[in-house]
Amino acid sequence: IPKRDWSSDVCSSDLYDLDGLRLSASELEAQLVRVAARDPQTRLLIEGDRMARYESVAQALAAAHRSGLKQVGFVTEKIKETP
């Protein structure tokens, strides 16, 4: 059974963590192309750490789009309310 859910963390060092693999932007895209070739319905969840640059998050989103993945989403953190 192919894996259907993958997650990618965008790190402040402009590197990406794809299910435990630390990758550069070009390596991330190459890996996502391989994932999409196996199953384009695989879901990718992108999460940027608080110090990640917007450009790095946008690069991850663009790589996912170019790879052919059909289901891409963002993981967000609920802001804690103060009492």
Side-chain angles (χ1 to χ4, degrees):
I1 298 172
K3 183 174 180 175
R4 295 300 299 248
D5 291 335
W6 288 73
S7 67
S8 177
D9 295 331
V10 182
C11 305
S12 60
S13 59
D14 290 337
L15 292 174
Y16 303 87
D17 183 333
L18 183 64
D19 279 357
L21 297 173
R22 187 59 61 111
L23 306 168
S24 68
S26 61
E27 292 168 329
L28 174 68
E29 187 164 349
Q31 185 67 21
L32 293 178
V33 166
R34 287 190 284 276
V35 169
R38 280 181 278 179
D39 183 359
Q41 293 303 318
T42 297
R43 182 171 55 173
L44 175 67
L45 302 174
I46 299 172
E47 180 177 4
D49 76 21
R50 290 183 184 267
M51 301 304 290
R53 296 180 318 130
Y54 174 80
E55 180 183 350
S56 297
V57 176
Q59 283 180 327
L61 182 59
H65 176 73
R66 288 190 297 266
S67 75
L69 289 173
K70 305 292 184 205
Q71 297 186 57
V72 179
F74 290 99
V75 176
T76 60
E77 210 176 287
K78 184 176 179 180
I79 297 174
K80 295 178 183 175
E81 296 180 22
T82 55

